[in-house]
Amino acid sequence: TTTTHENLHPAVLSLGLQYADGTIRGANSRCTSMLQTFQTVIEDYTFPTDQKKDYRQDLENRILKPSFTYWTTQCRVHSV
């Protein structure tokens, strides 16, 4: 599935902008900021209303994977 920016948590978009404009530099700073953002996203996560879903799969597939993909493909500098 493709993810549009509208589906991403505001903290994910904010971190992405900080990655892209160079506000957050260095591997340690990027990692710490990403972990703090993941914490915020997980704290804001609500259990799916469809009780047949597994919350772990929902969280991973609907929230975490699209966020990580957005950061790594759209926001940070790629190695050569």
Side-chain angles (χ1 to χ4, degrees), residues 5-75:
H5 295 183
E6 297 86 37
N7 296 336
L8 297 173
H9 190 283
V12 171
L13 295 172
S14 176
L15 180 63
L17 291 173
Q18 292 176 47
Y19 278 7
D21 72 9
T23 302
I24 300 173
R25 294 178 182 257
N28 288 338
S29 294
R30 284 193 311 267
C31 182
T32 301
S33 298
M34 182 178 65
L35 290 172
Q36 290 170 340
T37 299
F38 274 137
Q39 179 179 1
T40 299
V41 169
I42 291 168
E43 287 173 350
D44 290 350
Y45 174 75
T46 55
F47 191 76
T49 55
D50 178 1
Q51 297 298 321
K52 295 179 183 178
K53 288 186 177 180
D54 179 356
Y55 76 92
R56 293 168 297 170
Q57 288 181 350
D58 182 66
L59 179 63
E60 180 179 351
N61 294 324
R62 189 171 57 91
I63 307 295
L64 298 179
K65 280 185 181 178
S67 299
F68 189 74
T69 299
Y70 170 72
W71 289 324
T72 57
T73 61
Q74 302 295 318
C75 302

